[in-house]
Amino acid sequence: MLLQAATDHGLDLTRCAVIGDVGSTDMLAAAAVGAIRILVETGWGLQSLNKYRHLWYEQAAPDYIAKDLLEAAKWLVSTIKRTTPE
């Protein structure tokens, strides 16, 4: 889906972020295309970090772990502001 979105919309996936709650799918997919990886603790997030971490963490450690979507968005915006040349 990420590759199709990049093709359809002319995206550079290395400049995109994936925010998700499942390490073994969301974080691995983001890592495969070089996207920023943000894991939220809501939904399956905590279980993904605790019970299933061994299945994905070494290959796709999150760039940030957020308590929820709002925190993830705030972190992403602040990160973009710090890395964007003026």
Side-chain angles (χ1 to χ4, degrees), residues 16-79:
C16 294
V18 172
I19 301 173
D21 66 338
V22 181
S24 61
T25 56
D26 303 329
M27 297 302 104
L28 285 174
V33 298
I36 297 167
R37 299 172 303 281
I38 304 172
L39 185 80
V40 292
E41 293 178 340
T42 52
W44 290 97
L46 284 177
Q47 194 169 14
S48 192
L49 275 171
N50 297 323
K51 187 174 182 180
Y52 298 105
R53 181 185 197 111
H54 66 282
L55 298 174
W56 63 273
Y57 197 87
E58 284 188 31
Q59 303 93 320
D63 295 299
Y64 186 72
I65 299 171
K67 68 177 182 163
D68 55 28
L69 183 58
L70 179 59
E71 184 180 304
K74 287 179 178 179
W75 179 84
L76 188 57
V77 168
S78 71
T79 300

Side-chain angles (χ1 to χ4, degrees), residues 1-9 11 13 26 29 33:
M1 286 191 315
L2 295 173
L3 295 175
Q4 188 63 51
T7 299
D8 292 350
H9 303 287
L11 302 174
L13 293 174
D26 303 329
V33 298

